PDB file of all heavy atoms in Angstrom:
ATOM      1  N   TYR B 285     -52.997  81.738 128.154  1.00  0.00           N
ATOM      2  CA  TYR B 285     -52.316  83.019 128.368  1.00  0.00           C
ATOM      3  C   TYR B 285     -51.689  83.053 129.759  1.00  0.00           C
ATOM      4  O   TYR B 285     -52.311  82.660 130.748  1.00  0.00           O
ATOM      5  CB  TYR B 285     -53.297  84.171 128.217  1.00  0.00           C
ATOM      6  CG  TYR B 285     -52.684  85.537 128.420  1.00  0.00           C
ATOM      7  CD1 TYR B 285     -51.680  86.005 127.585  1.00  0.00           C
ATOM      8  CD2 TYR B 285     -53.126  86.359 129.456  1.00  0.00           C
ATOM      9  CE1 TYR B 285     -51.122  87.266 127.765  1.00  0.00           C
ATOM     10  CE2 TYR B 285     -52.583  87.622 129.641  1.00  0.00           C
ATOM     11  CZ  TYR B 285     -51.574  88.068 128.798  1.00  0.00           C
ATOM     12  OH  TYR B 285     -51.017  89.306 128.982  1.00  0.00           O
ATOM     13  N   ALA B 297     -52.148  68.035 125.068  1.00  0.00           N
ATOM     14  CA  ALA B 297     -52.247  66.941 126.032  1.00  0.00           C
ATOM     15  C   ALA B 297     -52.155  65.561 125.386  1.00  0.00           C
ATOM     16  O   ALA B 297     -51.667  64.604 125.998  1.00  0.00           O
ATOM     17  CB  ALA B 297     -53.551  67.065 126.815  1.00  0.00           C
ATOM     18  N   VAL B 345     -23.319  80.706 155.019  1.00  0.00           N
ATOM     19  CA  VAL B 345     -23.311  81.601 153.863  1.00  0.00           C
ATOM     20  C   VAL B 345     -21.890  82.086 153.624  1.00  0.00           C
ATOM     21  O   VAL B 345     -21.189  82.473 154.557  1.00  0.00           O
ATOM     22  CB  VAL B 345     -24.241  82.816 154.097  1.00  0.00           C
ATOM     23  CG1 VAL B 345     -24.192  83.759 152.904  1.00  0.00           C
ATOM     24  CG2 VAL B 345     -25.669  82.356 154.359  1.00  0.00           C
ATOM     25  N   SER B 363     -21.467 103.210 123.569  1.00  0.00           N
ATOM     26  CA  SER B 363     -21.726 102.592 122.277  1.00  0.00           C
ATOM     27  C   SER B 363     -21.700 103.645 121.167  1.00  0.00           C
ATOM     28  O   SER B 363     -22.077 104.803 121.383  1.00  0.00           O
ATOM     29  CB  SER B 363     -23.086 101.893 122.293  1.00  0.00           C
ATOM     30  OG  SER B 363     -23.442 101.438 121.011  1.00  0.00           O
ATOM     31  N   ALA B 404     -32.657  82.528 157.083  1.00  0.00           N
ATOM     32  CA  ALA B 404     -31.425  82.982 156.427  1.00  0.00           C
ATOM     33  C   ALA B 404     -31.741  83.662 155.098  1.00  0.00           C
ATOM     34  O   ALA B 404     -31.101  84.662 154.740  1.00  0.00           O
ATOM     35  CB  ALA B 404     -30.479  81.797 156.229  1.00  0.00           C
ATOM     36  N   LEU B 412     -28.805  92.435 151.601  1.00  0.00           N
ATOM     37  CA  LEU B 412     -28.406  92.810 150.247  1.00  0.00           C
ATOM     38  C   LEU B 412     -29.392  93.793 149.624  1.00  0.00           C
ATOM     39  O   LEU B 412     -29.011  94.646 148.823  1.00  0.00           O
ATOM     40  CB  LEU B 412     -28.281  91.560 149.377  1.00  0.00           C
ATOM     41  CG  LEU B 412     -27.206  90.556 149.823  1.00  0.00           C
ATOM     42  CD1 LEU B 412     -27.281  89.282 148.983  1.00  0.00           C
ATOM     43  CD2 LEU B 412     -25.822  91.173 149.728  1.00  0.00           C
ATOM     44  N   LEU B 461     -52.863  95.785 138.588  1.00  0.00           N
ATOM     45  CA  LEU B 461     -53.383  96.572 139.707  1.00  0.00           C
ATOM     46  C   LEU B 461     -54.067  97.834 139.202  1.00  0.00           C
ATOM     47  O   LEU B 461     -55.144  98.213 139.685  1.00  0.00           O
ATOM     48  CB  LEU B 461     -52.250  96.932 140.671  1.00  0.00           C
ATOM     49  CG  LEU B 461     -52.663  97.746 141.900  1.00  0.00           C
ATOM     50  CD1 LEU B 461     -53.622  96.964 142.784  1.00  0.00           C
ATOM     51  CD2 LEU B 461     -51.443  98.205 142.699  1.00  0.00           C
ATOM     52  N   GLN B 463     -55.541  98.303 136.326  1.00  0.00           N
ATOM     53  CA  GLN B 463     -56.763  98.014 135.577  1.00  0.00           C
ATOM     54  C   GLN B 463     -57.858  97.364 136.422  1.00  0.00           C
ATOM     55  O   GLN B 463     -59.044  97.551 136.155  1.00  0.00           O
ATOM     56  CB  GLN B 463     -56.427  97.117 134.391  1.00  0.00           C
ATOM     57  CG  GLN B 463     -55.552  97.789 133.338  1.00  0.00           C
ATOM     58  CD  GLN B 463     -55.044  96.811 132.290  1.00  0.00           C
ATOM     59  OE1 GLN B 463     -55.414  95.643 132.293  1.00  0.00           O
ATOM     60  NE2 GLN B 463     -54.197  97.299 131.385  1.00  0.00           N
ATOM     61  N   HIS B 464     -57.442  96.583 137.456  1.00  0.00           N
ATOM     62  CA  HIS B 464     -58.424  95.787 138.202  1.00  0.00           C
ATOM     63  C   HIS B 464     -58.507  96.142 139.683  1.00  0.00           C
ATOM     64  O   HIS B 464     -59.388  95.625 140.383  1.00  0.00           O
ATOM     65  CB  HIS B 464     -58.107  94.300 138.048  1.00  0.00           C
ATOM     66  CG  HIS B 464     -58.098  93.834 136.617  1.00  0.00           C
ATOM     67  ND1 HIS B 464     -59.255  93.557 135.922  1.00  0.00           N
ATOM     68  CD2 HIS B 464     -57.076  93.624 135.745  1.00  0.00           C
ATOM     69  CE1 HIS B 464     -58.952  93.182 134.685  1.00  0.00           C
ATOM     70  NE2 HIS B 464     -57.632  93.221 134.550  1.00  0.00           N
ATOM     71  N   ALA B 477     -57.681  78.919 144.969  1.00  0.00           N
ATOM     72  CA  ALA B 477     -58.146  78.306 146.221  1.00  0.00           C
ATOM     73  C   ALA B 477     -59.613  77.925 146.121  1.00  0.00           C
ATOM     74  O   ALA B 477     -60.049  76.917 146.708  1.00  0.00           O
ATOM     75  CB  ALA B 477     -57.921  79.275 147.382  1.00  0.00           C
ATOM     76  N   TRP B 551     -37.296  82.747 144.386  1.00  0.00           N
ATOM     77  CA  TRP B 551     -38.260  83.696 144.933  1.00  0.00           C
ATOM     78  C   TRP B 551     -38.308  84.968 144.096  1.00  0.00           C
ATOM     79  O   TRP B 551     -37.270  85.475 143.673  1.00  0.00           O
ATOM     80  CB  TRP B 551     -37.880  84.051 146.368  1.00  0.00           C
ATOM     81  CG  TRP B 551     -38.180  82.970 147.344  1.00  0.00           C
ATOM     82  CD1 TRP B 551     -37.303  82.046 147.854  1.00  0.00           C
ATOM     83  CD2 TRP B 551     -39.446  82.681 147.932  1.00  0.00           C
ATOM     84  NE1 TRP B 551     -37.954  81.199 148.712  1.00  0.00           N
ATOM     85  CE2 TRP B 551     -39.264  81.566 148.791  1.00  0.00           C
ATOM     86  CE3 TRP B 551     -40.708  83.257 147.822  1.00  0.00           C
ATOM     87  CZ2 TRP B 551     -40.318  81.025 149.525  1.00  0.00           C
ATOM     88  CZ3 TRP B 551     -41.755  82.720 148.554  1.00  0.00           C
ATOM     89  CH2 TRP B 551     -41.554  81.612 149.399  1.00  0.00           C
ATOM     90  N   ASP B 563     -43.825 102.968 145.826  1.00  0.00           N
ATOM     91  CA  ASP B 563     -45.056 102.208 146.003  1.00  0.00           C
ATOM     92  C   ASP B 563     -44.958 100.914 145.198  1.00  0.00           C
ATOM     93  O   ASP B 563     -44.934 100.938 143.963  1.00  0.00           O
ATOM     94  CB  ASP B 563     -46.244 103.043 145.528  1.00  0.00           C
ATOM     95  CG  ASP B 563     -47.582 102.344 145.747  1.00  0.00           C
ATOM     96  OD1 ASP B 563     -47.589 101.199 146.240  1.00  0.00           O
ATOM     97  OD2 ASP B 563     -48.633 102.947 145.417  1.00  0.00           O
ATOM     98  N   ALA B 605     -51.455  67.363 135.796  1.00  0.00           N
ATOM     99  CA  ALA B 605     -50.248  67.379 136.624  1.00  0.00           C
ATOM    100  C   ALA B 605     -50.601  67.625 138.081  1.00  0.00           C
ATOM    101  O   ALA B 605     -50.073  66.965 138.989  1.00  0.00           O
ATOM    102  CB  ALA B 605     -49.280  68.444 136.112  1.00  0.00           C
TER     103      ALA B 605
END
Side-chain angles (χ1 to χ4, degrees):
Y285 180 62
V345 178
S363 172
L412 297 173
L461 181 63
Q463 294 170 5
H464 302 281
W551 285 99
D563 183 358

